[in-house]
Structure formats: C-alpha cells, structure tokens
Amino acid sequence: MPETARTIYRGTAVALVEGPHLYKLNGYYYLFAAQGGTVFTHQEVVARSKTLEADSFETEPGDVFLTNVDTPDSYIQKQGHGALVSTPEGEWYYASLCARPWNRPGESIYDPRGWSTLGRETAIQKVYWDDEGWPRIVGGHGGKTFVEGPKDAIFTESASDNSQQDDFTSPALDPNWNTLRVPFTAKMGTTGNGKLTLIGQGSLANTHDLSLITRRWQAFYFDAAVKVKFEPFSYQQMAGLTNYYNDRHWSFVFLTWNEINGKVIEVGENNRGKYTSYLKDNAIKVPDGVEYVWFRTKVRKQTYSYEYSFDGVSFTEIPVQLDAAVLSDDYVLQSYGGFFTGAFVGLAAVDYAGYGTQAEFYQFEYQELGDALAADGSYSWEAGETRDK
C-alpha cells in the first residue's frame, strides 16, 4: 500500500459508503459520498476537514444532506450519489441518481415503497450554504420535483421525449440499443439495408449466448412495435418482441412452431425463474402465405400487454395482461440482489435446437405517450411534488 494511502472518512451507521467526491472550498475539504445503497435508504452524506489526515473528517451536523428515506410521498425517491456544481453567477446545484416509483391501486407508499420500472434516472436540486458553511438542499433534505433554474442559464433546445424510429439502415446499431455483457457481433446477427437480422441462440434465460438487443423504458406510458419475418420449423425456435429485465424476469411475444398448427404466435413470461406459457394449445395460428407478422407492446405504467397484426394496420390484442412491477428494480431486488437498470423493450431470436435459424426485423418504433394519465384518457408529462398511488 502506498505511504500516502489512508482512510479519511468511514461514513455513518447507515454504511455502504461509495462514490466519494472531494472539493476544496473556503479553506475546507468537503467530501460528498453516497450511503445506504441505490434503494429507498439511499442518501448523500457530507463531511469536511481542513486536512486530509486519517479520520479527520467531521459529518455534517443535523439533517443528512440529501435523502428520501423519510419522505415516502415525494415524487422523486432514492436520491444520492452525485456531484456538486456552481454556476458563473455563484448559484449551487447538486445532480444525483434517483428513481420515480409507482404503486398499484390500494398499495401503501410505505410498504411496499413502490416499483421503479424506469430504473435509475437523474435529478437535480438547488443548494445553499448555511451560516456554519455547510451545504443544504433548498426545500429540505428530501428535495423538490421542481427546482428554480440558474439565473444565467442559456435556453437549450431538447427533444420533447425519447421516442425512437429505427429502420436499420445503418451497418451499426443505434446508440439507444443495448446488448447483454458484450457488444453486438456477427455471432448475434447483422444490421443495415433496412433490416436487422438476428441469428437464433440461447433462450432469454441464457446469461451468455443471446441474440438480443434492447432499449430502456424511458416513459411510464409507451407503445413499441416491430415487423418480423421468421420461418421456424421447431418449437425450440422463437423470434419476436420482448420486455426484459434480466435472465429471470422477462416476457416475450414470439413466432414459433408447433405440430398442430405449424407457425404460431405465443406469449411467455419468466417470473423469478418460473416460466409460464400463456397460450399453449390456444397459440395463434399464422395463416398460410403470411410472410410478415407485426408485434406491438402497450406499456401502461402498472401493466402491459401485447398485440399482433398480419397487415401492419389492424392489430389484435392478445388476452394476456402482465404486471409491470415484475420488471422493476424493487421486485427483482426481493429475490436477486441489488439492481437499478429498470426495464427494457427489445428484439430477440432463439434457437436452442442449434440450427442458428435467422429472424429478420424491420421498422422498429418506440413511441412515448407520457408519464401521466388524465381522467379523459389522454396522456401528459405532468408531475407533482408528491406521487400518486
């Protein structure tokens, strides 16, 4: 260990100290550090010292700098683990990780605290300095949903939402797409010239050999759709649209094959490692001569469903309504350790018979509708200081 190595701060009884940021201001070293883990006990603690000697840092007295552990009704939860910034005009802000959980009707916001299907997001809070030279959050340590902007801020244009249309014209995947653990390679498939080709590999419960690309859920209400061409000849071959968290938590609407009807549409779900096939003998037969099938998922905050079409115009809802909470950080945490990625929607091809059957995907669309549902059925991006149940 280098001679200069030392422990300057050990955190508080909350424990799990991580993500330290050190600033030198007005004769003090200020240490900002996350505690409590990226769950509902998450917080940001501040300590300071005039030296960098071992164990010389004093924790900020009184309220912790930032936490939502005792503000369960706040719209923003799990704040902490971030960075301090000052503006040219001398205003101070703190940007950090957060989540926006929701509850099912009738559930308490205390227990369960909520379901974070969008994973970790970013929040910003305004900061002031008290008479003793300690940083404090404007509005209290729980922060606010709406924060006064800097007086010298420059207006910046930004997209109204994160909707995506991908026609797969580029030989490289759009940056919104994610793959599991390794980059997209020729072993998984190819993209370009108006289509994505995926080569069937392991099932969605496989943790290594996957032909799967996904993008984040970034709104509580959205639709996602894709056009698929796939010719399976075994029940072990599948291709379609998935809502995915990890290998133990996902659902899948897909084309496959059975001995009764040939090419069919099925819906499956993996919930804590237990797989359910919803249609089974009622799997939807694809009419002879139909080359393409369109799939669409409709995510409606607390639940979601799947639809199919044989012409890309008229869609039929599959009578299976799924619980979106199963794809939340908090549900997964109950049985599988700490996670904070949120849910993803994407495309997959499976062939665990080993034939490497290929599926073609066209015209993927992810269309955000909003984060709130009005009484008249319309959507909006409205938010409040408190969250609904």
Side-chain angles (χ1 to χ4, degrees):
M1 181 180 293
E3 292 182 6
T4 56
R6 71 201 71 176
T7 299
I8 61 173
Y9 183 64
R10 299 180 186 276
T12 72
V14 175
L16 301 176
V17 183
E18 61 176 341
H21 286 222
L22 189 65
Y23 307 88
K24 190 171 185 181
L25 299 165
N26 302 321
Y28 282 97
Y29 293 99
Y30 286 88
L31 180 67
F32 287 68
Q35 294 190 140
T38 313
V39 291
F40 291 110
T41 54
H42 202 206
Q43 63 176 238
E44 188 75 10
V45 66
V46 177
R48 73 181 183 187
S49 172
K50 290 190 174 182
T51 76
L52 294 176
E53 295 302 316
D55 297 314
S56 63
F57 278 72
E58 169 197 8
T59 302
E60 182 172 23
D63 279 352
V64 67
F65 176 66
L66 178 64
T67 187
N68 298 110
V69 67
D70 58 352
T71 64
D73 59 339
S74 295
Y75 181 73
I76 299 174
Q77 294 287 312
K78 304 183 185 180
Q79 290 182 96
H81 201 140
L84 184 70
V85 64
S86 64
T87 72
E89 292 293 321
E91 295 178 278
W92 292 86
Y93 291 86
Y94 190 78
S96 74
L97 302 177
C98 72
R100 293 182 293 152
W102 50 264
N103 287 84
R104 302 182 185 96
E107 281 186 340
S108 168
I109 61 173
Y110 289 87
D111 185 20
R113 192 71 174 259
W115 312 106
S116 308
T117 47
L118 303 188
R120 289 201 304 199
E121 299 179 283
T122 304
I124 192 165
Q125 299 293 341
K126 193 164 188 179
V127 174
Y128 71 95
W129 297 83
D130 69 16
D131 294 340
E132 302 300 320
W134 290 101
R136 303 288 183 181
I137 296 293
V138 173
H141 65 235
K144 301 166 67 176
T145 301
F146 302 101
V147 176
E148 180 185 4
K151 295 181 178 63
D152 55 348
I154 299 172
F155 179 77
T156 303
E157 293 281 358
S158 62
S160 59
D161 61 41
N162 297 293
S163 296
Q164 175 189 4
Q165 175 78 43
D166 195 343
D167 292 323
F168 304 111
T169 56
S170 170
L173 285 178
D174 184 279
N176 282 301
W177 291 113
N178 297 267
T179 53
L180 187 66
R181 294 192 176 87
V182 296
F184 187 72
T185 65
K187 182 181 179 182
M188 301 176 191
T190 59
T191 181
N193 299 317
K195 69 179 179 181
L196 168 75
T197 300
L198 292 180
I199 303 169
Q201 296 191 81
S203 78
L204 296 183
N206 193 302
T207 55
H208 295 284
D209 298 318
L210 278 176
S211 292
L212 167 70
I213 67 168
T214 62
R215 59 147 298 134
R216 286 182 56 197
W217 288 17
Q218 290 183 273
F220 290 126
Y221 298 88
F222 71 86
D223 294 341
V226 71
K227 176 182 175 182
V228 185
K229 180 180 180 181
F230 185 54
E231 299 299 333
F233 54 86
S234 165
Y235 69 92
Q236 295 176 311
Q237 298 163 340
M238 311 160 208
L241 183 67
T242 178
N243 285 292
Y244 182 93
Y245 191 99
N246 64 9
D247 59 293
R248 292 170 55 85
H249 303 83
W250 47 264
S251 67
F252 194 21
V253 60
F254 55 90
L255 292 168
T256 187
W257 181 92
N258 69 30
E259 295 179 349
I260 300 173
N261 290 317
K263 186 161 67 171
V264 295
I265 296 169
E266 175 63 280
V267 174
E269 182 185 34
N270 198 10
N271 184 345
R272 292 182 173 168
K274 180 180 178 180
Y275 181 76
T276 300
S277 179
Y278 282 102
L279 302 184
K280 298 180 182 177
D281 292 342
N282 295 316
I284 300 159
K285 177 177 172 55
V286 178
D288 294 340
V290 170
E291 186 176 12
Y292 299 98
V293 175
W294 285 257
F295 288 128
R296 182 164 66 191
T297 184
K298 300 174 77 170
V299 174
R300 299 298 182 262
K301 194 173 184 176
Q302 299 165 355
T303 63
Y304 66 99
S305 59
Y306 290 108
E307 299 177 336
Y308 68 92
S309 173
F310 297 132
D311 60 10
V313 177
S314 176
F315 280 81
T316 300
E317 183 175 0
I318 299 172
V320 177
Q321 188 175 82
L322 297 166
D323 183 2
V326 173
L327 303 180
S328 71
D329 297 343
D330 317 283
Y331 184 85
V332 174
L333 174 65
Q334 292 174 353
S335 64
Y336 204 64
F339 288 95
F340 35 74
T341 63
F344 293 74
V345 61
L347 314 173
V350 173
D351 187 349
Y352 47 83
Y355 290 98
T357 309
Q358 297 186 10
E360 296 176 359
F361 298 85
Y362 304 82
Q363 302 166 4
F364 174 82
E365 182 177 14
Y366 167 81
Q367 183 63 54
E368 295 187 348
L369 305 174
D371 278 339
L373 178 64
D376 64 1
S378 63
Y379 300 99
S380 75
W381 296 100
E382 292 183 3
E385 291 296 341
T386 59
R387 59 193 180 104
D388 59 24
K389 298 180 182 181

